[in-house]
Amino acid sequence: MEAAGERVLLEVPGVSIHPRLRPCPPHRDGLVRGRLRVLEGADGLVLHWEPLEGPGEAPEDTEGAEPPDPGGRSLDPEQLRGRIFRGGLSPEVRPQGWRLLLGGDNEDPRERRDSYFRMKLQWRSLSPGQLQRNRLLRRYRHRLERDLARCHRDASSQQRALLHDVLMTYCMYHFDLGYVRGMSELLPPLLCVTPDEVEAFWGFSSIMELVGSSFGPTQERLKQQLGEVGQLLGVLEPRLEAGGTLRCCSRWLQLRFQPLLGLEGTLRLWEVLWTGLPGPNFLLLLVCALLELSVDTGHGTGNTGNSTGNTGNSTGDSGDSEEDEEDEEDEDADVPPHPGDTGRDRDGDGEREEGPRLDPELVLSRAEGFLLQLKAAPDLPPALRELLGLGGPPPSPPRTPPATPPPAP
């Protein structure tokens, strides 16, 4: 409160300071919410700050609080995820919503930032001699720079520099995986939502926790998912399963459907996947829905050209450097073209032609329809029920006893 003789010239609520400047419980972002006042007194102007801790003035969004909806009511996390699943996020709240969905909402922003720049400094401070003796990091950098030149040619030099810094720093964060061809295509959607370098890095790291095993040297998880999609198609659409199109879905699984949906559709489906609804492995049903729609609507089914080579051996250049020879030894085999991938590599230079995109709401509707169809199937194999979290088979309808014939007269 102001002292006697002081007059309030300006009052600004919601001003935050670092907790070291005031012994108060910090907000989840590491700051303390309060009210700033400019007072005029006998000694001139005085800045006065006090925490919002009076009755009815509790700091907003304190630790453990539930995020409010636009109507002022509070939503528990499950309600919030349900709303995101059904309606998505508007662009203005998407950065905060993605941070919540990806698990970064409870982390200290200052520590996240400090940690990022420590890792960035590690690779930026290497001398040429150190880099020359670090064969693995040199290989990661070579793959990354080749992908940036081939797959992001339309990006500005500033955008490519940002992609380079974030992805090289990820190599220091996860040195075992490092950089694998195609990973750069997961980052631009994040940067569209959160242009901040630090937040984009941690969001990318969270995404790689979900899809990283599909990029690893063995790609065991990717192979497992393709097998599971095949089992589901055997029940839902045997014509697709029998058509040998399963391996065509590998790039969809790695890049989370970007080749078919474009930017806005990709953002919508990513949000759905991160909610964890309506059950485990809904991703596999989305693949089934995308495959069926892309074949039925003719989206790219006539594409016989090579894809951009995100996971292939095709390098798009003819250099014979040590890094090229190393990549030829350890990169995966070419991935064949797949229905719906309308991007066509022109002259092997990574330039892609844009084609028509599928409606994400139609894809979601078809995938949910598949889920209901499988849930109601009485003879669905138990392994598939467990895979989709469907529980036991539906109860059998009550059997009507046969009518008793009337007694003979």
Side-chain angles (χ1 to χ4, degrees), residues 116-181:
Y116 172 77
F117 284 108
R118 280 195 301 270
M119 291 184 289
K120 183 175 180 179
L121 183 62
Q122 289 174 357
W123 65 266
R124 294 197 65 168
S125 60
L126 290 175
S127 68
Q130 287 176 303
L131 186 60
Q132 184 62 29
R133 291 186 293 271
N134 194 328
R135 183 178 182 182
L136 192 55
L137 185 60
R138 195 170 66 248
R139 182 187 302 178
Y140 293 157
R141 189 184 69 169
H142 179 73
R143 290 178 189 166
L144 169 58
E145 291 177 349
R146 192 166 55 186
D147 260 9
L148 293 179
R150 179 179 52 194
C151 302
H152 303 276
R153 296 180 60 181
D154 293 336
S156 66
S157 58
Q158 183 179 4
Q159 290 171 328
R160 284 197 298 271
L162 181 56
L163 291 169
H164 177 274
D165 286 0
V166 171
L167 293 167
M168 279 298 296
T169 304
Y170 181 77
C171 292
M172 308 307 297
Y173 176 75
H174 196 324
F175 208 84
D176 288 341
L177 179 60
Y179 183 81
V180 180
R181 190 173 300 176

Side-chain angles (χ1 to χ4, degrees), residues 71-298:
R73 299 163 297 176
S74 62
L75 294 173
D76 64 41
E78 289 307 312
Q79 288 178 312
L80 189 61
R81 290 176 185 274
R83 290 197 174 192
I84 294 173
F85 179 84
R86 291 299 172 194
L89 289 165
S90 58
E92 60 270 16
V93 301
R94 189 166 268 155
Q96 295 83 3
W98 278 30
R99 185 172 173 178
L100 174 66
L101 291 172
L102 291 172
D105 198 47
N106 294 322
E107 299 176 3
D108 182 358
R110 184 179 298 273
E111 176 57 32
R112 284 159 64 93
R113 185 167 295 272
D114 291 347
S115 179
Y116 172 77
F117 284 108
R118 280 195 301 270
M119 291 184 289
K120 183 175 180 179
L121 183 62
Q122 289 174 357
W123 65 266
R124 294 197 65 168
S125 60
L126 290 175
S127 68
Q130 287 176 303
L131 186 60
Q132 184 62 29
R133 291 186 293 271
N134 194 328
R135 183 178 182 182
L136 192 55
L137 185 60
R138 195 170 66 248
R139 182 187 302 178
Y140 293 157
R141 189 184 69 169
H142 179 73
R143 290 178 189 166
L144 169 58
E145 291 177 349
R146 192 166 55 186
D147 260 9
L148 293 179
R150 179 179 52 194
C151 302
H152 303 276
R153 296 180 60 181
D154 293 336
S156 66
S157 58
Q158 183 179 4
Q159 290 171 328
R160 284 197 298 271
L162 181 56
L163 291 169
H164 177 274
D165 286 0
V166 171
L167 293 167
M168 279 298 296
T169 304
Y170 181 77
C171 292
M172 308 307 297
Y173 176 75
H174 196 324
F175 208 84
D176 288 341
L177 179 60
Y179 183 81
V180 180
R181 190 173 300 176
M183 282 168 50
S184 65
E185 295 197 48
L186 289 169
L187 187 52
L190 273 169
L191 290 170
C192 289
V193 173
T194 172
D196 180 75
E197 179 179 348
V198 175
E199 290 303 316
F201 168 81
W202 289 112
F204 178 80
S205 301
S206 297
I207 291 176
M208 291 308 299
E209 291 294 322
L210 302 174
V211 304
S213 57
S214 296
F215 284 93
T218 62
Q219 297 186 334
E220 285 301 323
R221 179 55 182 149
L222 179 61
K223 296 172 184 176
Q224 179 185 356
Q225 287 177 325
L226 291 175
E228 292 165 347
V229 169
Q231 295 177 51
L232 292 171
L233 287 175
V235 177
L236 296 167
E237 289 288 346
R239 64 187 177 97
L240 298 179
E241 192 273 338
T245 56
L246 286 185
R247 195 164 176 240
C248 303
C249 306
S250 59
R251 190 162 176 266
W252 300 352
L253 289 166
Q254 286 182 317
L255 301 185
R256 290 303 192 254
F257 313 123
Q258 288 188 72
L260 285 176
L261 298 173
L263 178 61
E264 287 303 318
T266 295
L267 302 184
R268 174 74 175 104
L269 246 63
W270 282 13
E271 292 166 355
V272 166
L273 289 172
W274 297 339
T275 64
L277 299 176
N281 294 305
F282 188 61
L283 167 70
L284 305 178
L285 293 177
L286 287 173
V287 173
C288 295
L290 279 162
L291 188 57
E292 182 191 57
L293 289 170
S294 64
V295 171
D296 289 348
T297 59

